[in-house]
Amino acid sequence: MNLPDLRKTEDDALQLELSLSAVASAIADPSRVSILCALMDGRAWTATELSSVANIAASTASAHLSRLLNSGLITCLSQGRHRYYRLAGSDVAHLLETLMGISMKSVKSPVPKTPVHLRVARTCYDHLAGKIAVGMYEFMLNEGWLEPEGNALTAAGKLHFDNFGAILNPHTRRKSSCACLDWSERRFHLGGDSGAALLAAFERKGWLVRTPGYREVTFTEDGKRALLRIFQIDLR
């Protein structure tokens, strides 16, 4: 190995050591550990909710969240006027799970205060939201109906949509699909043109009915059968 290569190897090793030290330092605080453990459920939470979990002041939580953001352990999502925080990825969750298995017990996550009937199913602008919509989105991801980041339907997804009458707009100027953060479940549901087509199809077929003047929707018996047949979601 020549001198330039040796120096590059040493620089890479030093960078790795510094990066590892930064991650370890970010985790080495009880309040930040509490925040990270709360985020292990895969949901996204506000700074206020996480400050409650960690039993610290909101201003203190903000500083801890900045530290975790800078270390790459968490990400921040903006939804309207709210900011939500979640783990940066499954690799971070696997790291924390390993550490928790050695030395920690999971910290209880805050319980959402959204009314139960709205948590189950509601509209989010022109697409479905709530627990059922989140389950549908996870099913579509797992079955390969959606691209890994949820930005578009795959060929298989388009075929399935066509089979149950969800009509996509070929000339839409909006995103064809997008992962929309669900404010009650704190996981993603399907937005974009695909999400709108899905809701329109369910309504057109009589699989759900809207509550006039409200965002709540109720699945009919035909809709419950369709959810089970298409998305393997059992509401019966």
Side-chain angles (χ1 to χ4, degrees):
M1 181 179 293
N2 56 39
L3 185 58
D5 288 340
L6 179 59
R7 286 177 177 171
K8 184 178 184 304
T9 300
E10 291 176 346
D11 289 343
D12 290 345
L14 177 59
Q15 184 60 47
L16 176 61
E17 292 168 358
L18 291 174
S19 298
L20 180 58
S21 177
V23 171
S25 178
I27 296 175
D29 181 275
S31 295
R32 290 196 288 273
V33 168
S34 295
I35 290 171
L36 290 169
C37 288
L39 295 175
M40 280 289 287
D41 66 354
R43 304 185 185 193
W45 300 97
T46 65
T48 300
E49 291 167 330
L50 292 171
S51 68
S52 176
V53 168
N55 196 27
I56 54 179
S59 58
T60 305
S62 180
H64 284 313
L65 289 168
S66 294
R67 181 73 177 274
L68 293 171
L69 278 168
N70 292 335
S71 69
L73 292 171
I74 65 173
T75 59
C76 182
L77 301 166
S78 294
Q79 189 90 342
R81 61 187 179 87
H82 297 292
R83 287 163 61 87
Y84 296 92
Y85 298 87
R86 67 195 318 252
L87 293 183
S90 59
D91 53 342
V92 177
H94 293 158
L95 169 64
L96 294 173
E97 188 173 45
T98 300
L99 292 175
M100 288 164 62
I102 297 172
S103 59
M104 288 287 296
K105 292 183 178 180
S106 181
V107 177
K108 184 178 179 181
S109 297
V111 178
K113 298 179 180 179
T114 309
V116 173
H117 64 282
L118 285 179
R119 285 195 65 187
V120 173
R122 64 180 184 277
T123 56
C124 177
Y125 185 49
D126 62 355
H127 54 270
L128 279 172
K131 185 176 181 179
I132 294 174
V134 167
M136 294 165 65
Y137 181 81
E138 291 179 350
F139 174 87
M140 287 186 278
L141 271 180
N142 292 336
E143 293 298 311
W145 293 21
L146 292 167
E147 298 293 343
E149 297 300 320
N151 295 326
L153 289 173
T154 62
K158 291 177 181 178
L159 179 61
H160 284 291
F161 267 49
D162 185 61
N163 286 341
F164 62 79
I167 304 170
L168 301 172
N169 181 0
H171 306 297
T172 183
R173 293 184 177 182
R174 67 193 298 190
K175 292 181 178 179
S176 61
S177 299
C178 66
C180 185
L181 182 64
D182 195 288
W183 56 261
S184 64
E185 294 304 301
R186 310 303 172 85
R187 293 185 175 91
F188 292 115
H189 59 248
L190 183 64
D193 181 56
S194 300
L198 195 64
L199 173 59
F202 271 58
E203 192 170 12
R204 188 169 58 251
K205 288 177 173 292
W207 291 350
L208 60 77
V209 292
R210 301 196 190 209
T211 301
Y214 298 90
R215 295 174 60 190
E216 178 185 0
V217 299
T218 302
F219 282 85
T220 63
E221 290 304 313
D222 284 344
K224 292 176 182 178
R225 286 190 285 270
L227 282 175
L228 181 60
R229 183 179 73 254
I230 300 171
F231 298 100
Q232 298 179 16
I233 296 175
D234 193 351
L235 297 184
R236 296 174 303 174

